[in-house]
Amino acid sequence: MIDYFKDINFPTEEEIAKAKETEQKQLRMDRSDQFDRLCPLGFKDTISDRLDQNAVKLSKDWADGNIEKLNILIGGATGVGKTRLSWLILKRKFVMYGLRYNHIGAESFARRLNNEKHLMDLMCSESILLFDDLGKERDTPTAEAGVFELIRERMDRQKPTIYTTNYNPEALLDRFIKKETGSAICRRLKESSLCIAMK
């Protein structure tokens, strides 16, 4: 009987594992380059060592799935690096895990909601979303209803969201005209989010 395979050198398990590792490394490099091309210029070169290190560690743990919370809520005063940290999280989620992402400011979301009918569905369907400056949107019933729908819909779809805000829970609640809507939003965020107060 002729052995057709005697002259073929099949790769070992070690060689296959090394090839897969090399392929994954190249894929992450390609994703990193792609992310850097699309990331806003002001956040592209963020150095994590200059940010609140406890917040950096917690957010990395969350991004890697080591903290069982669907969302992450980053609070703190203006200038502490909330949005910078959020872009680092987005980059890790995209580079390491290939999650498709999007971002929008709360004020922009509220302003565009009535005129761009596809906006809500787009923001609700992304694999991961950065919703920046929660509480800075217009304090109108339409804006409040839109923010509540976005939060509820993304939770129902089990889509992780990064929220940033300048407000503590009490101050955020005071931003809402309809207190029942504000209470529902704050309750859902608290229940579903890893909450980080940046220094």
Side-chain angles (χ1 to χ4, degrees):
M1 183 176 180
I2 300 173
D3 185 356
Y4 292 100
F5 301 105
K6 67 177 181 178
D7 295 324
I8 299 176
N9 293 319
F10 291 101
T12 64
E13 288 187 10
E14 184 180 340
E15 289 171 334
I16 292 172
K18 188 173 182 179
K20 285 183 178 179
E21 183 181 339
T22 301
E23 182 181 346
Q24 285 298 312
K25 185 177 180 181
Q26 184 60 53
L27 178 60
R28 289 194 292 269
M29 288 174 61
D30 292 343
R31 286 177 181 162
S32 182
D33 290 342
Q34 183 182 348
F35 187 91
D36 287 344
R37 287 194 300 272
L38 298 173
C39 181
L41 189 59
F43 303 115
K44 187 169 69 171
D45 297 322
T46 295
I47 300 172
S48 63
D49 291 350
R50 296 181 180 175
L51 301 175
D52 180 334
Q53 290 304 290
N54 183 57
V56 170
K57 181 184 182 306
L58 285 170
S59 63
K60 181 178 180 293
D61 285 342
W62 179 82
D64 289 338
N66 298 324
I67 296 177
E68 293 184 2
K69 287 288 187 178
L70 177 62
N71 306 313
I72 185 167
L73 175 63
I74 305 172
T78 300
V80 296
K82 300 183 298 297
T83 305
R84 287 186 177 280
L85 179 59
S86 298
W87 277 98
L88 289 178
I89 299 170
L90 282 182
K91 183 170 186 176
R92 187 165 187 84
K93 281 289 195 182
F94 180 69
V95 172
M96 299 300 293
Y97 308 104
L99 261 65
R100 191 183 69 194
Y101 65 91
N102 209 329
H103 63 97
I104 194 167
E107 190 175 0
S108 175
F109 175 76
R111 186 179 65 250
R112 294 166 53 188
L113 196 55
N114 282 336
N115 298 324
E116 299 180 37
K117 301 303 180 186
H118 70 287
L119 183 64
M120 180 65 78
D121 187 59
L122 175 64
M123 293 297 115
C124 289
S125 62
E126 293 292 5
S127 298
I128 185 168
L129 175 69
L130 165 56
F131 194 77
D132 205 15
D133 280 332
L134 177 64
K136 284 194 174 180
E137 65 277 0
R138 299 178 193 172
D139 51 353
T140 66
T142 302
E144 290 179 3
V147 170
F148 179 73
E149 183 181 347
L150 177 75
I151 293 171
R152 180 190 57 77
E153 187 67 24
R154 287 191 62 81
M155 284 183 64
D156 288 349
R157 298 187 190 189
Q158 287 293 291
K159 300 284 190 179
T161 309
I162 305 164
Y163 298 98
T164 72
T165 184
N166 288 351
Y167 302 96
N168 62 38
E170 295 77 20
L172 184 59
L173 180 57
D174 288 341
R175 293 282 302 159
F176 293 94
I177 300 169
K178 292 185 176 181
K179 297 308 173 191
E180 61 272 21
T181 302
S183 295
I185 288 174
C186 292
R187 183 181 68 253
R188 282 175 176 263
L189 286 175
K190 184 177 180 182
E191 291 172 354
S192 67
S193 303
L194 166 66
C195 298
I196 298 176
M198 285 190 72
K199 300 175 183 178

